[in-house]
Amino acid sequence: MVFFSIVIPLFNKANHVENTIKSILSQTFIDYEIIVINDGSTDNGEALVRGFNDDRIQVYNQENQGVSVARNLGIEKSKGKLIAFMDADDFWFPDHLQELANLFQAFPDCGIYCSRHKIRISKKHFKIPVYNGINESFRGIVSDYFFSNRPFRITWTSSLAISKEIIEKNGGFTSNVTNGQDLELWTKIGIKYPVAITNKTTAIYNFNIPNSITKNHVNSMKLMDFEQFKQSEKENTSLKNFLDLYRIEYGLRYYIFGNKEKANFYLKDVAPQNISLKIQLLLKIPSVFLRLFLKSKNTLKRIGFDFSIYD
């Protein structure tokens, strides 16, 4: 058994995966294995991974089935006590695994262990996530995970670790969910277990803005079933407020691309006090204008200017 199993789904990331693997091999904490699941890539990413010729790296191939199935296969093949996830275009600083190991040793009964990270929104521009009620020096167990899991999520997939046993107890990633599958699993675990966070920034999330967000893309999304959390939401106001943010996000996304039926499906369950005046106004604007607004917003983000309609 190793301490960490690092699970990496790989699909057409040949331009990034070498730097990602190098950042793992540069870790000061060395008790780990790397499990790469090649999810039907059509570029030479798999060959680049195999080119490292390191005994700690295992590569498995599957037909393209999506990130959930790829991660689940990686978990199945893993031998580590803790599973650390890594996307094939993200980056760890050398102390990342050591910080997570230290956090686990200090707080052994948590469900999720998180480092802090920064978000690359353009070539030269970064955002530093902030969390409700948690200052930059805090290290320890988060007192109200769902309250603090906004405006940015504490549990970003490439900066956390979870015991294999807890992942399996909670069913892993839902294979038919194509958007928000990690949000779903972290929510399941966050309801049942405490979450710990370190005060060190040890990772970079390379935020990818799709070249084209289209109606077909949005309408092909398969989202998690919010109904599974209804009872827990009745008992936890912070959870309700947190999940309503995503109901609004999905509803607004469908509205922007003209699918009012799907938009109403998600928005109908949002508590009235959680729909801000800003969102109410946006839902009165014709969707064609919102598509232009979204395109402009993404263009601005690529040059380093970012803002959120949820602020």
Side-chain angles (χ1 to χ4, degrees), residues 193-206:
Y193 302 90
V195 174
I197 186 170
T198 185
N199 53 10
K200 299 284 186 65
T201 297
T202 65
I204 296 175
Y205 168 27
N206 285 307

Side-chain angles (χ1 to χ4, degrees), residues 10-11 22 29 82 86 160 181 225 227 238 245:
L10 176 64
F11 179 71
K22 286 177 182 177
F29 187 97
L82 295 181
M86 182 71 149
L160 57 78
Q181 56 275 79
D225 180 10
E227 289 293 320
S238 295
L245 277 178

Side-chain angles (χ1 to χ4, degrees), residues 1-4 79-83 104 162-165:
M1 178 180 286
V2 292
F3 194 85
F4 285 107
K79 299 179 179 67
K81 183 178 183 66
L82 295 181
I83 308 293
F104 173 77
I162 307 174
S163 81
K164 180 175 181 176
E165 180 183 5

Side-chain angles (χ1 to χ4, degrees), residues 171-224:
F173 297 92
T174 304
S175 59
N176 64 345
V177 172
T178 62
N179 189 287
Q181 56 275 79
D182 50 354
L183 169 67
E184 179 185 35
L185 183 54
W186 311 154
T187 300
K188 288 180 184 178
I189 296 172
I191 290 170
K192 299 175 184 176
Y193 302 90
V195 174
I197 186 170
T198 185
N199 53 10
K200 299 284 186 65
T201 297
T202 65
I204 296 175
Y205 168 27
N206 285 307
F207 183 82
N208 176 46
I209 304 169
N211 290 326
S212 176
I213 301 176
T214 66
K215 181 176 180 179
N216 286 339
H217 169 77
V218 169
N219 287 326
S220 67
M221 293 189 306
K222 294 181 176 62
L223 305 176
M224 71 175 182

Side-chain angles (χ1 to χ4, degrees), residues 242-260:
F242 172 72
L243 289 178
D244 274 359
L245 277 178
Y246 289 91
R247 291 184 175 99
I248 292 168
E249 179 181 324
Y250 295 141
L252 187 58
R253 201 179 302 183
Y254 280 120
Y255 177 79
I256 288 171
F257 287 93
N259 192 333
K260 291 186 178 180

